[in-house]
Amino acid sequence: MSSEWPLFEVFIRSKNGLEHRHVGSLHAADDTMALENARDVYTRRQEGVSIWVVESRHIKASNPEAAGELFEPAMDKIYRHPTFYELPIELKHI
Amino acid sequence: MSKEVNLEEQFQARIDAGERIEPKDWMPEKYRKTHIRQISQHAHSEIVGMLPEGNWITRAPSLRRKVGLLAKVQDEAGHGLYLYSAAETLGISRDELEVQLLTGKAKYSSIFNYPTLSWADIGAIGWLVDGAAIINQVMLTRTSYGPYARAMVRICKEESFHQRQGYEIMLGLAKGTPEQKEMAQDALNRFWWPSLMMFGPRDHESPNTAQSVRWKIKRKTNDELRQQFIDITAPQADYLGLTIPDPDLKWNEERGHYDFGEINWDEFWQVVKGNGPCNRERIEARTKAREDGAWVREAALQYAAKKATRNQSKAV
Amino acid sequence: MKEQLYSYLLMLGDNSMILAHRLSELCGHGPSLETDIALTNISLDLFGQVRNFFQYAAELKGGDCTEDNIAYLRTEREYYNCILVEQANTDFAHVIARQFFFDQFQYLQLKQLEKSSDETIAAIAAKSIKETRYHLRFSSEWMRRLGAGTEESHIKTQAAVDRLYPFVDELFTASAIEKALSDAGIAMDPGTVKAEYEQETKTVLEEASLILPDAAPRFAQGKQGMHTEQLGYILSEFQYMQRAYPNMEW
């Protein structure tokens, strides 16, 4: 029984103005079906106004073992945050 | 070897610090296996659990009850799907998991091996079985494995109507004619003890509990959860004017909990081993759905392949 | 006129209800979890339409008539659904073909009923047509998949088409009530959408590599309350609780 439908990831915009968010996955034979299945499975309670689906195998994910070199170098770049710069508190709108 | 030990220590430290584990993170093989087992068992329970309740969809006594029940059983399909997806992040396919279910290699909650004999059973299942499940599920929203915890959050959100649906049915029956009340009492009599069994064996007979607690797959033991369920449910039965079929059930002021009688563990193990009233029928029904659906799934795949080839040649 | 409107609402509701019932039998037994959920959604939509039609009918009837009295407490000869929708779930091809033939009709019907001079019917149609448009999209897509999928699926689906299409003719034969109410601008005279139906249906079937049988229409008078033997079994299940425990609240 190798006739399993491929896996898709589902992203839903809950309302206009918000971004699409990953909500889960499902199986479908093709992307048309994936979209319909996503509608039937993940928006039964008015969870969304827009759906994206993508076959899971098309997602390239970062490797957690590389998390050190990927993400830690940003940790000490505190000068990228507004609180790094000291200004007198009486100053407004800046 | 020592590197492995070190990794395991680091892993445990992450869990102790309340960090979540995500699919591609390093994890001990046993953690992975335990999760596949537990998540798929949970998924199978949702799917097999559709059958006893589905048994009454076509006979629901009013249109309002019918759509409520239909939506609930449909939710269970959805919950099974979310859980299978969570298990799939651990490197096993839904297809393999289904085969494990149908060949008896994987278990599901034994409660679904009991038959639904009257409409009141639908009320009792919603009230008791979903009630017991919710206690377990709320705990699992904080479990250490990210995909499992996220599936549980979604499930808990959706399930909040299930128990209310069941209790409302019971309430209607309890306030109804003597015949209806009798039907409700009979359902409680049959589903009470199996509901208590849902929490699994006593702690001292549950070999996996300690490790599961350490990995935060479980945050409370079987006995703690069972006690919690009884404490919540006993007053709800009083409110219905129904009698819980346990002569030893009574409030213990000193403990701040209800005392209750001994569960028939022989029955529990018999049903787990496959000798319950409906074990075979449940697996037969799922096997039939899978076999009857094989040509449909195959056709959809072939059609998709043909369409893809067509689009490709168009692009050229 | 009120009597006729009442009967018309029963016909509209019965079509949706008997089809919804057939789909509800499948809940928990679908060919994949995703498909199971999708079919149940359609069933729930249809039951929603039923409740709208029957609540309106109950209001017309007055007294203590309710949607459930109407749904549950009639005899076989008092149900007016077409024969097509009571056909069994023989296999998934039959489920999809039955759905497709009905959706295509229901879509055209609701499009007309949106313009009904009866405001309640127009409002129910306006709400329902969105659901039905999705059902039609779903069933058409599946017709293509099954018809043009594998050899096995093609054979099964052609067999379902051959079996079910001869019941379609009934949809377009106006009953006396449909005639009278369409003259009054309330109902649709189904004959007026027959050509469009055939055109649309043919298009999808062609895409699905399926052909319409040129078999003669089956003798079918569901609209007059004359059914196949299957309806009795549907009703004995459907009505079981109401019949076994009369006059109780659930």
Side-chain angles (χ1 to χ4, degrees), chain C residues 220-233:
Chain C
Q221 291 191 315
K223 285 182 192 178
Q224 280 75 41
M226 283 194 279
H227 295 274
T228 60
E229 290 172 348
Q230 306 190 55
L231 187 71
Y233 292 96

Side-chain angles (χ1 to χ4, degrees), chain B residues 47 58-63 65-66 70 74 94 119 173 177 179-180 183 286 295 297 299 302-303 306, chain C residues 28 31 33-34 37 41 43 47 68 72 145 148-150 153 156 237-238 241-242 245 248-250:
Chain B
I47 301 307
T58 55
R59 290 178 289 171
S62 70
L63 292 176
R65 290 291 175 217
K66 194 182 286 280
L70 200 46
Q74 182 196 40
R94 191 198 290 176
W119 171 251
L173 297 174
T177 63
E179 245 173 322
Q180 285 174 308
M183 195 188 281
R286 290 311 307 162
W295 69 270
R297 296 190 300 274
Q302 289 262 352
Y303 177 77
K306 284 180 196 168
Chain C
L33 276 182
E34 286 82 354
I37 292 169
N41 267 347
S43 180
F47 275 124
D68 287 328
Y72 287 89
R145 275 189 199 108
T150 60
S153 73
K156 284 193 151 88
E237 222 175 306
F238 188 85
M241 290 296 291
Q242 291 276 347
Y245 305 93
M248 295 184 198
E249 295 279 326
W250 303 95

Side-chain angles (χ1 to χ4, degrees), chain B residues 129-305:
Chain B
V129 177
D130 286 84
I134 287 168
I135 287 182
N136 212 8
Q137 288 167 348
V138 166
M139 171 188 79
L140 286 168
T141 59
R142 294 180 299 132
T143 189
S144 63
Y145 187 56
Y148 192 21
R150 287 192 289 275
M152 289 324 304
V153 168
R154 182 169 272 275
I155 289 171
C156 283
K157 222 190 274 172
E158 298 189 349
E159 288 232 337
S160 52
F161 99 80
H162 293 184
Q163 199 191 7
R164 292 173 68 99
Q165 182 249 184
Y167 197 76
E168 198 195 78
I169 290 173
M170 294 304 274
L171 207 52
L173 297 174
K175 282 200 226 146
T177 63
E179 245 173 322
Q180 285 174 308
K181 194 166 175 182
E182 196 187 311
M183 195 188 281
Q185 182 63 54
D186 175 57
L188 173 58
N189 291 349
R190 283 180 289 110
F191 278 95
W192 174 255
W193 291 105
S195 300
L196 297 190
M197 295 177 198
M198 282 176 71
F199 296 96
R202 300 291 308 269
D203 289 346
H204 58 83
E205 283 170 8
S206 177
N208 297 323
T209 294
Q211 181 60 273
S212 292
V213 169
R214 240 165 71 82
W215 280 338
K216 297 190 183 169
I217 304 174
K218 278 180 100 92
R219 286 168 172 264
K220 287 178 184 168
T221 68
N222 294 354
D223 285 335
E224 285 169 346
L225 292 168
R226 187 166 15 242
Q227 182 71 60
Q228 189 183 337
F229 172 73
I230 293 169
D231 291 348
I232 291 172
T233 311
Q236 292 170 351
D238 289 344
Y239 187 83
L240 291 172
L242 298 178
T243 311
I244 289 175
D246 177 0
D248 297 324
L249 186 88
K250 61 171 184 296
W251 179 251
N252 182 326
E253 195 65 54
E254 210 173 299
R255 287 203 311 128
H257 290 294
Y258 280 87
D259 290 337
F260 56 98
E262 191 55 40
I263 290 169
N264 182 347
W265 292 109
D266 182 49
E267 176 181 326
F268 173 79
W269 290 114
Q270 281 304 319
V271 182
V272 168
K273 280 179 194 142
N275 302 322
C278 301
N279 295 56
R280 275 167 223 171
E281 289 74 6
R282 300 297 183 233
I283 293 301
E284 274 164 15
R286 290 311 307 162
T287 307
K288 185 173 186 319
R290 182 180 163 86
E291 287 173 357
D292 289 353
W295 69 270
V296 177
R297 296 190 300 274
E298 186 58 42
L301 273 183
Q302 289 262 352
Y303 177 77

Side-chain angles (χ1 to χ4, degrees), chain C:
Chain C
M1 182 72 101
K2 202 170 144 186
E3 258 320 294
Q4 286 178 324
L5 179 56
Y6 177 77
S7 302
Y8 183 59
L9 291 168
L10 295 198
M11 186 199 82
L12 291 174
D14 288 345
N15 275 341
S16 297
M17 185 169 83
I18 300 303
L19 183 57
H21 176 90
R22 281 297 192 207
L23 293 171
S24 78
E25 292 174 348
L26 292 168
C27 182
H29 308 277
S32 78
L33 276 182
E34 286 82 354
T35 320
D36 201 307
I37 292 169
L39 289 174
T40 303
N41 267 347
I42 296 178
S43 180
L44 283 166
D45 284 345
L46 290 171
F47 275 124
Q49 298 177 8
V50 174
R51 297 185 70 187
N52 287 328
F53 287 128
F54 286 176
Q55 281 165 11
Y56 182 31
E59 206 182 294
L60 287 179
K61 188 92 172 177
D64 48 11
C65 184
T66 64
E67 56 172 15
D68 287 328
N69 293 160
I70 295 175
Y72 287 89
L73 298 177
R74 285 178 281 153
T75 63
E76 278 173 63
R77 297 277 277 104
E78 295 165 322
Y79 284 79
Y80 303 111
N81 60 280
C82 59
I83 299 298
L84 174 69
V85 294
E86 67 195 47
Q87 297 304 302
N89 300 327
T90 310
D91 61 15
F92 191 69
H94 280 72
V95 170
I96 291 299
R98 181 184 65 203
Q99 192 67 38
F100 171 68
F101 288 137
F102 180 75
D103 290 343
Q104 188 66 66
F105 173 77
Q106 184 73 341
Y107 175 66
L108 296 172
Q109 172 161 264
L110 291 172
K111 217 160 83 174
Q112 294 284 319
L113 292 183
E114 273 190 296
K115 294 177 281 186
S116 169
S117 61
D118 183 294
E119 281 174 22
T120 312
I121 290 186
I124 297 172
K127 182 183 170 289
S128 306
I129 197 166
K130 290 178 195 151
E131 298 166 346
T132 300
R133 204 181 292 138
Y134 185 77
H135 303 169
L136 179 59
R137 176 179 156 157
F138 176 88
S139 57
S140 309
E141 192 64 27
W142 269 106
M143 283 300 278
R144 292 188 199 99
R145 275 189 199 108
L146 298 180
T150 60
E151 199 187 331
E152 183 185 8
S153 73
H154 176 80
I155 292 170
K156 284 193 151 88
T157 312
Q158 186 62 57
V161 167
D162 292 349
R163 174 84 186 202
L164 296 173
Y165 191 71
F167 291 118
V168 165
D169 195 64
E170 185 199 358
L171 299 170
F172 299 102
T173 317
S175 65
I177 288 168
E178 281 178 302
K179 274 194 198 117
L181 289 181
S182 65
D183 289 343
I186 294 173
M188 173 182 82
D189 175 355
T192 58
V193 296
K194 191 175 182 191
E196 194 180 353
Y197 180 92
E198 284 171 351
Q199 188 51 46
E200 298 286 335
T201 305
K202 228 176 101 198
T203 308
V204 174
L205 288 187
E206 267 167 24
E207 288 164 353
S209 320
L210 296 165
I211 47 169
L212 283 180
D214 50 11
R218 294 280 296 270
F219 180 79
Q221 291 191 315
K223 285 182 192 178
Q224 280 75 41
M226 283 194 279
H227 295 274
T228 60
E229 290 172 348
Q230 306 190 55
L231 187 71
Y233 292 96
I234 292 178
L235 294 178
S236 47
E237 222 175 306
F238 188 85
Q239 299 182 340
Y240 166 68
M241 290 296 291
Q242 291 276 347
R243 297 299 189 190
Y245 305 93
N247 304 317
M248 295 184 198
E249 295 279 326
W250 303 95

Side-chain angles (χ1 to χ4, degrees), chain B residues 113-125:
Chain B
N113 291 317
Y114 290 86
T116 49
L117 303 178
S118 78
W119 171 251
D121 290 8
I122 300 307
I125 289 180

Side-chain angles (χ1 to χ4, degrees), chain A residues 21-32:
Chain A
R21 279 186 62 178
H22 183 240
V23 295
S25 38
L26 50 76
H27 289 274
D30 54 45
D31 45 17
T32 308

